[in-house]
């Protein structure tokens, strides 16, 4: 099996794959006592994943044929980003949301591999850094 992590831009044909991973992650968070993504379990999608896919903001990551994770990268800040990072009207950054790891691959360093790929992608798109603090210069 190819062990190289691959970044893929999601299309609508991956919508079910993406939403299933988000639901799996929300269930795991709930099992740990977190209410962080409970809205997903109630059918609410605060990030409007369908529209985010249509805009090209959703990415999924594979190793071989296996889905190992996904994330959303926004060019503009949400109100939550503004609270966390301060208001920035530039387009110098990506804002990372909904980083989800397939539970079968947890504890294997996949999150760091994904962050490394996000950093490479951000740099390739001319971003100075992304909202997780990885500098792209």
């Amino acid at each position: 099996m190819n062990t190289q992590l691959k970044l893929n831009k999601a299309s609508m044909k991956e919508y079910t794959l993406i939403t299933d991973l988000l639901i799996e992650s929300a269930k795991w968070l709930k099992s740990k006592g977190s209410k962080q993504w409970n809205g997903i379990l109630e059918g609410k999608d605060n990030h409007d994943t369908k529209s985010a896919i249509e805009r090209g903001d959703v990415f999924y990551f594979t190793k071989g044929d296996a889905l190992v994770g996904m994330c959303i990268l926004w060019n503009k800040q949400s109100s939550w980003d503004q609270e966390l990072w301060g208001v920035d009207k530039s387009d110098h950054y990506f804002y990372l949301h909904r980083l989800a790891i397939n539970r079968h691959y947890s504890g294997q360093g996949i999150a760091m591999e994904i962050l490394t790929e996000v950093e490479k992608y951000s740099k390739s798109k001319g971003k100075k850094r992304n909202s997780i603090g990885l500098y792209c210069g």
Side-chain angles (χ1 to χ4, degrees), residues 66-105:
L67 171 69
V68 298
M70 63 82 56
C71 70
I72 299 174
L73 292 177
W74 287 340
N75 270 320
K76 302 292 180 200
Q77 293 180 314
S78 67
S79 57
W80 185 82
D81 292 317
Q82 290 175 350
E83 283 184 40
L84 187 62
W85 305 107
V87 175
D88 186 325
K89 304 273 185 205
S90 75
D91 66 350
H92 298 302
Y93 311 100
F94 277 129
Y95 296 89
L96 185 130
H97 290 264
R98 295 285 193 218
L99 175 61
I101 306 300
N102 180 329
R103 300 311 312 153
H104 297 292
Y105 295 91

Side-chain angles (χ1 to χ4, degrees), residues 24 34 56 58-59 71 80 84 89 91 121-122 129 134:
E24 173 189 311
S34 174
V58 178
F59 299 84
C71 70
W80 185 82
L84 187 62
K89 304 273 185 205
D91 66 350
Y121 178 78
S122 297
R129 64 182 254 190
L134 295 174

Side-chain angles (χ1 to χ4, degrees), residues 103-119:
R103 300 311 312 153
H104 297 292
Y105 295 91
S106 67
Q108 298 178 30
I110 296 296
M112 284 306 300
E113 288 184 56
I114 287 174
L115 295 178
T116 298
E117 289 303 310
V118 166
E119 180 180 17

